[in-house]
Amino acid sequence: MKIRQVVGDNIRCLRNKARITQSQLGMKSGLNNDYIGRVERSLENITLDNLVKLAVVFDVDVSNLLIEGWCVSLSQ
């Protein structure tokens, strides 16, 4: 699996678990919701700075966002 897809899947999973929209995540992180959508669909190569912003919003270690299936493996 490509790293962009891994990151996108983890971000989408965390956002869904938090029950927030892409727009809400954008407001919390200071990122554009269209950008977040492109990252989730692995169409955008996220910068490290923006990866950190999203990790801060979700209160997770940034390295976890790089692990395939990490979010799905979290207890519900």
Side-chain angles (χ1 to χ4, degrees), residues 34-56:
D34 291 331
Y35 174 78
I36 291 169
R38 290 191 308 273
V39 168
E40 288 185 358
R41 293 188 310 277
S42 67
L43 300 174
E44 186 82 37
N45 192 16
I46 191 167
T47 67
L48 291 174
D49 290 338
N50 290 342
L51 193 63
V52 169
K53 288 177 184 179
L54 293 172
V56 167

Side-chain angles (χ1 to χ4, degrees), residues 13-27:
C13 177
L14 287 168
R15 183 177 59 75
N16 288 334
K17 284 182 186 240
R19 294 190 170 127
I20 59 174
T21 66
Q22 290 175 347
S23 294
Q24 290 168 321
L25 179 55
M27 285 188 280

Side-chain angles (χ1 to χ4, degrees), residues 1-11 14 39 45-48 50-52 55 60-71:
M1 184 179 281
K2 293 181 185 177
I3 192 64
R4 284 194 294 189
Q5 186 175 355
V6 169
V7 170
D9 288 348
N10 280 323
I11 291 169
L14 287 168
V39 168
N45 192 16
I46 191 167
T47 67
L48 291 174
N50 290 342
L51 193 63
V52 169
V60 298
D61 191 293
V62 71
S63 65
N64 290 332
L65 298 176
L66 305 175
I67 301 170
E68 186 174 349
W70 171 77
C71 177

